[in-house]
């Protein structure tokens, strides 16, 4: 039997409808969007349409959307680019972020530390929440930039971005949020969130891999990350990934049209799954059960290492993960669960199950049975 995919936070399949609109841009409509003749004009129009579709998802202006190669590039570009530009303007060199960010943000910040910037990595509470008052207390006269993720990729906790944003807007401090896990899954309005920049990625919302976007509020000019031609209003050089851009646009449009219904459907499935898991002896839920991504369930199991359970679940035909895709294969416990105060044993038992567009109730029922069987078998083996 075909394995059941329950790792939508790692990546999502490209929706058939997205693939269909992308295909012509690999063949008949191959033009370079910078060319003046008709081939170029058609490609240019397609890129413009996609820019509007992405802008619409975020309630932003098309001119505020820049296409990149993905979430990692968006994070790197905006944080490095704004840090360098603001320091050069004499505004300061202090950056604030949190301990639970994706490594695209954390490792960018540690690179900036090597360039002479000071970085504060804020702690979180036991549910993974960054408190607005913690952000406020960390502000200094030379703080130039704050980056806090919209929703966590491991435990699904949704951060209080609107509160943090309005506090920072009043102080005119540049605020970026990594919304890669949230975009297309929960309603996002850049106005309501009071963010100046927001990262998203195609492959986390049923679009292709290797394409993403950065929302950058009008008036901000980070240094470019990629220098060359004049594409993306001279902010990001290189011939556009037209097919990828068209795919991201379509994925954004579909996500927006189906967001409310899918949000409700997945939240219900998620809540059912969390309730079931809590009935298994020794199992608990990691993260905030209320302020949580609709598709995320992350749980721990007393006395069972995550690898042991993952292998059993894989043999039973279920693809789930140990924390994030990026930390898979590494032996150190999750930096997110560690920041949430869990010791190595607890954090080392975490399993992330993420649901998505093609997840059904039947799949989850079978998953719960497989999980109960696997936990019992491991316990029995350990007792022998
Ligand atoms: C996946 C992910 C990224 C990286 O996005 P890519 O498009 O794979 O580079 C960044 N941040 C978060 C929160 C993610 O989940």
């Amino acid at each position: 039997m075909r394995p059941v995919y329950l790792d939508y936070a790692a990546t999502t399949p490209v929706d058939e409808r997205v693939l269909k609109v992308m295909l012509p841009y690999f063949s008949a409509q191959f033009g370079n969007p910078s060319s003046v003749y008709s081939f170029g004009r058609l490609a240019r129009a397609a890129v413009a349409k996609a820019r509007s579709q992405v802008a619409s998802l975020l309630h932003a202006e098309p001119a505020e959307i820049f296409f990149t190669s993905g979430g990692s590039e968006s994070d790197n570009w905006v944080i490095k680019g704004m840090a360098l530009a603001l320091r050069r303007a004499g505004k300061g060199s202090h950056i604030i972020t949190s301990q639970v960010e994706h490594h695209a943000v954390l490792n960018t910040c540690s690179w900036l530390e090597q360039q002479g910037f000071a970085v504060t990595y804020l702690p979180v509470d036991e549910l993974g929440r960054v408190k607005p008052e913690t952000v406020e207390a960390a502000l200094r006269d030379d703080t130039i930039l704050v980056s806090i993720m919209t929703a966590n990729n491991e435990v699904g906790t949704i951060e209080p971005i609107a509160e943090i944003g309005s506090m920072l807007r009043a102080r005119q401090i540049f605020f970026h949020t990594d919304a890669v896990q949230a975009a297309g899954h929960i309603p996002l309005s850049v106005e309501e969130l009071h963010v100046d920049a927001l990262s998203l990625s195609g492959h986390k919302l049923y679009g292709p891999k290797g394409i993403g976007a950065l929302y950058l509020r009008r008036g901000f000019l980070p240094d470019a990350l990629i220098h060359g031609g004049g594409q993306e209003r001279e902010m990001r050089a290189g011939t556009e990934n037209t097919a990828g851009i068209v795919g991201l646009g379509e994925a954004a449009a579909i996500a927006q049209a189906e967001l409310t219904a899918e949000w409700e459907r997945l939240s219900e499935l998620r809540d059912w799954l969390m309730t079931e898991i809590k009935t298994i002896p020794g199992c608990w839920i990691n993260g905030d059960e209320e302020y949580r991504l609709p598709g995320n369930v992350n749980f721990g199991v007393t006395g069972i290492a995550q690898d042991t359970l993952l292998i059993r679940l894989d043999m039973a035909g279920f693809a789930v993960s140990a924390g994030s895709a990026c930390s898979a294969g590494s032996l150190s416990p999750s930096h997110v669960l560690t920041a949430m105060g869990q010791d190595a044993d607890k954090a080392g038992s975490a399993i992330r199950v993420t649901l998505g567009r093609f997840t059904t109730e039947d799949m989850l029922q079978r998953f719960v049975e497989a999980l109960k069987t696997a936990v019992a078998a491991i316990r029995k083996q350990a007792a022998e």
Side-chain angles (χ1 to χ4, degrees), residues 98-121:
S98 84
Q99 292 171 7
V100 297
E101 299 298 313
H102 190 273
H103 282 108
V105 169
L106 289 176
N107 292 347
T108 296
C109 287
S110 73
W111 181 83
L112 284 168
E113 284 183 281
Q114 291 165 26
Q115 316 307 314
F117 289 86
V119 182
T120 301
Y121 299 90

Side-chain angles (χ1 to χ4, degrees), residues 28 45 52 95 123 135 138 194 225 231 266 318-319 321 327 335 384:
S52 304
I95 294 165
V135 180
H194 304 287
L225 192 62
Q231 290 89 355
L266 287 179
F318 295 91
S321 104
S327 65
H335 69 286
E384 275 164 8

Side-chain angles (χ1 to χ4, degrees), residues 70-72 75 102 149 153 178 180-181 201 203-204:
S72 300
D75 288 344
H102 190 273
M149 69 201 320
N153 49 302
D178 174 337
V180 172
Q181 288 289 333
S201 173
H203 76 100
K204 303 283 174 74

Side-chain angles (χ1 to χ4, degrees), residues 185 206 261-272 293-296 355-359 364:
H185 302 284
Y206 310 95
E262 187 64 354
W263 186 25
E264 284 167 7
R265 186 184 79 90
L266 287 179
S267 299
E268 225 167 275
L269 287 177
R270 173 203 63 195
D271 290 346
W272 177 83
L293 285 173
N296 177 291
L355 331 179
R357 191 169 286 168
F358 308 105
T359 308
L364 295 183

Side-chain angles (χ1 to χ4, degrees), residues 128-294:
R129 301 250 292 170
V130 178
K131 296 236 169 65
E133 42 293 10
T134 315
V135 180
E136 192 168 11
L139 292 173
R140 309 191 328 200
D141 288 341
D142 63 341
T143 304
I144 49 172
L145 183 154
V146 177
S147 179
I148 306 289
M149 69 201 320
T150 309
N152 188 269
N153 49 302
E154 292 189 31
V155 296
T157 299
I158 297 174
E159 301 295 349
I161 297 303
E163 283 131 276
I164 297 170
S166 65
M167 186 268 293
L168 293 172
R169 182 66 58 82
R171 289 164 176 76
Q172 293 191 309
I173 293 169
F174 186 84
F175 183 33
H176 164 252
T177 189
D178 174 337
V180 172
Q181 288 289 333
H185 302 284
I186 60 172
L188 292 180
S189 152
V190 291
E191 283 311 313
E192 284 169 21
L193 294 175
H194 304 287
V195 294
D196 299 310
L198 179 152
S199 305
L200 61 81
S201 173
H203 76 100
K204 303 283 174 74
L205 52 106
Y206 310 95
K209 294 171 179 62
I211 186 74
L214 179 71
Y215 156 80
L216 187 60
R217 199 157 79 93
R218 205 182 282 277
F220 290 105
L221 277 179
D223 286 10
L225 192 62
I226 301 179
H227 302 94
Q231 290 89 355
E232 298 299 286
R233 282 146 289 155
E234 306 198 348
M235 298 288 258
R236 204 269 185 180
T239 301
E240 294 86 345
N241 172 3
T242 315
I245 289 171
V246 165
L248 174 58
E250 189 66 18
I254 294 170
Q256 187 173 14
E258 300 180 353
L259 196 145
T260 309
E262 187 64 354
W263 186 25
E264 284 167 7
R265 186 184 79 90
L266 287 179
S267 299
E268 225 167 275
L269 287 177
R270 173 203 63 195
D271 290 346
W272 177 83
L273 182 57
M274 289 199 296
T275 306
E276 286 293 316
I277 288 172
K278 283 190 283 187
T279 67
I280 303 173
C283 288
W284 68 86
I285 299 297
N286 291 314
D288 196 317
E289 289 186 38
E290 189 183 350
Y291 298 100
R292 190 179 196 101
L293 285 173

